[in-house]
Amino acid sequence: MGKVGFFDRVTLAVLALMVTSGGIALAFFPAERMSVTENRLLAEEPAFSMEALADGSYAAGWDAYATERFPGRSALRAVRATVELAAGKGEVNGVILGRDGSLLRRHTANAAAWEKNRRALARVEQQAAAAKCPLTVAIAPRRIDACAAQLPVCYRNDREAALYAKVREALPTALLLSGFEEGEWFRTDHHWQASGAYRAYVALGDALGYEPYPLAAFTPQTVSESFLGTADAAAGIPGIVPDAITLLRYEGDEAFSVKTEGKPAPFAGFYDMEKLKTRDGYGVFLGGNYGMLTVDPEEGDQRPTLLLVKDSFANALIPFLARHYRIVAVDPRYGRPDMNTLLAGADKALVLCGLETLAESPFLAPLLR
C-alpha cells in the first residue's frame, strides 16, 4: 500500500477536526428547541430503548436531532437557501421564489386526507338538511393559485389546475373563491390579507343572504410592517422583504364580545395586538385558532346565529361576518364538535377553509367520529 500523501493527511485531519468539533458543539451548545424563525419545536434528544434501537427509530431520532439542533442552524439554513437558488433550483424546501421576490409555497395533495374530508362534508350536508339549516361551503385558493402571475416563467401550474378541477367535480355546489388581486395576499405567508378576506366577505353575500358593507365603511390600520409568514419560515431565504399587516377597522368593532373555549378573550374586539410581538403575526386576528370561539354583539342585539366550521383562513373573515351574525365558530382540528346540537341552534351554517387544508390534511375527519 502506498504512503499517504501530505495533502491527504491534511484533508483527513481537517475532516476529523470538523466532525469532532461539530459533535462537541452539538453536545454542549445545541440550538434552542423552539425555533422562533420557523415557529415550531425542533427535534429533541431521543430516549434510548432496545425496541427503538431494533426498529431504527433511535438512530433516526439522533439523525433528526443532529440535523435540527446543530449550532448556527439559522445561518446554515440561509447558506443552504442561497446555494440552492444560485444553482438555479428556483425553490427551497418546497417554497418557490416568485418573480417579484415573494414566496409561493408548493403543496402536495393527500388522496386519503381528501377522501376523509369529502365524506365529512357529505355528512355535514346531511346533518344540516335534517336540522333545516341552510349550509354554504366556501374554499379559499392557495397563494400559488391566487398569485399565479408571480410564478417563474417556466413553472407549470397543471397540478394546481387539476386539483381545483377535482374539487369542483366532487363539490359541485361549493363556492370556490377567486378573483383576488396581488395585494390581497401576504407575500410571505399562505393566508390572505384583511383586504383578501373582505373580497371573500363580498363574494359570500349572495350565498348567505346579506348585503355587504362597502369598502368605504372600513378604515385601514397598518399594525405591522415586519411580518414574515409560514412560507418564509419554511424556506429560510435571506433578504426577503417583510409583509405589512393592515386591518380593516370599523366603528364599534371593539365592543364585540369574543370568547375562546368558553372564556373571555384577553383582548378587546377581534384583534390580539400582542401577537404582533411574536413570529405568529397572523395571530393578530382573534389570537389564533381554537376548538370553539363565539362572537356576540352588544347585549340585546338579536342578530341571527351563523355556525362557522373553519380553519385559520376564517380568522381574518370573522370581523366582517360579525356585522351580520352572532357567530359560533369551530375548528375540528382542536376538538370534536357536536354538529347536530350546533346546527339545531344555528340559523345558517358556513364551512370555510383553504384548499390546502382540505386537500392535504384530514381537517374534517373528527366530524366523522
Side-chain angles (χ1 to χ4, degrees):
M1 180 181 293
K3 294 183 179 180
V4 178
F6 172 75
F7 289 108
D8 291 331
R9 289 196 298 272
V10 170
T11 300
L12 290 172
V14 169
L15 288 174
L17 179 62
M18 290 175 63
V19 171
T20 302
S21 59
I24 293 172
L26 181 63
F28 293 99
F29 309 103
E32 293 290 335
R33 180 144 191 252
M34 179 61 195
S35 171
V36 176
T37 303
E38 299 169 78
N39 194 29
R40 71 181 181 91
L41 290 172
L42 303 179
E44 60 182 341
E45 188 173 327
F48 176 80
S49 71
M50 292 304 297
E51 182 181 354
L53 181 65
D55 65 18
S57 60
Y58 184 67
W62 271 112
D63 183 59
Y65 179 81
T67 300
E68 296 199 350
R69 302 291 295 281
F70 199 84
R73 171 180 169 78
S74 295
L76 291 172
R77 290 181 75 234
V79 170
R80 171 202 171 195
T82 301
V83 169
E84 291 190 1
L85 291 174
K89 187 175 178 180
E91 66 177 87
V92 179
N93 198 26
V95 177
I96 301 164
L97 181 63
R99 287 190 277 181
D100 63 346
S102 65
L103 303 175
L104 303 100
R105 195 164 187 175
R106 185 199 297 275
H107 298 270
T108 303
N110 182 310
W114 159 244
E115 177 58 23
K116 288 181 180 179
N117 290 331
R118 187 195 64 75
R119 288 193 291 114
L121 279 173
R123 173 174 290 186
V124 173
E125 289 176 346
Q126 293 173 354
Q127 292 170 316
K132 297 182 180 179
C133 180
L135 172 68
T136 299
V137 176
I139 302 170
R142 302 173 303 170
R143 173 167 162 73
I144 198 172
D145 306 310
C147 305
Q150 300 306 328
L151 288 167
V153 176
C154 296
Y155 182 84
R156 297 187 57 134
N157 213 24
D158 298 348
R159 285 188 297 178
E160 285 71 31
L163 180 55
Y164 255 109
K166 187 175 182 178
V167 171
R168 186 176 291 108
E169 180 181 349
L171 305 173
T173 61
L175 176 60
L176 301 183
L177 300 167
S178 62
F180 294 92
E181 297 179 2
E182 193 64 31
E184 295 173 347
W185 224 266
F186 286 112
R187 301 174 69 258
T188 67
D189 194 76
H190 66 286
H191 292 108
W192 48 30
Q193 284 266 19
S195 55
Y198 174 79
R199 183 177 292 277
Y201 159 70
V202 172
L204 284 164
D206 287 341
L208 293 178
Y210 58 77
E211 181 68 29
Y213 282 82
L215 189 58
F218 300 88
T219 301
Q221 179 189 11
T222 298
V223 294
S224 174
E225 294 184 343
S226 58
F227 172 53
L228 292 168
T230 55
D232 175 78
I237 300 173
I240 295 297
V241 176
D243 276 299
I245 299 178
T246 301
L247 311 177
L248 291 177
R249 306 293 300 272
Y250 53 88
E251 186 177 355
D253 64 2
E254 290 186 347
F256 285 84
S257 173
V258 175
K259 292 183 179 179
T260 60
E261 310 296 359
K263 300 178 181 179
F267 48 88
F270 304 107
Y271 305 108
D272 184 356
M273 299 300 180
E274 291 299 309
K275 286 291 186 178
L276 298 173
K277 301 175 184 178
T278 71
R279 178 77 187 193
D280 182 22
Y282 185 75
V284 69
F285 297 102
L286 297 165
N289 298 308
Y290 312 92
M292 172 76 75
L293 178 144
T294 59
V295 179
D296 291 297
E298 294 181 342
E299 188 175 349
D301 193 307
Q302 299 300 315
R303 301 180 197 198
T305 297
L306 175 69
L307 172 61
L308 174 59
V309 180
K310 59 174 280 297
D311 68 359
S312 54
F313 271 90
N315 295 357
L317 179 65
I318 285 176
F320 302 111
L321 295 176
R323 301 196 79 168
H324 307 274
Y325 302 102
R326 173 183 179 268
I327 295 175
V328 176
V330 295
D331 189 330
R333 296 172 298 180
Y334 302 95
R336 294 175 57 184
D338 182 347
M339 291 300 295
N340 288 319
T341 300
L342 292 171
L343 285 165
D347 297 286
K348 294 183 179 180
L350 169 66
V351 176
L352 186 138
C353 63
L355 179 61
E356 65 262 35
T357 309
L358 196 62
E360 298 166 21
S361 65
F363 158 59
L364 296 171
L367 303 183
L368 289 170
R369 297 171 189 165

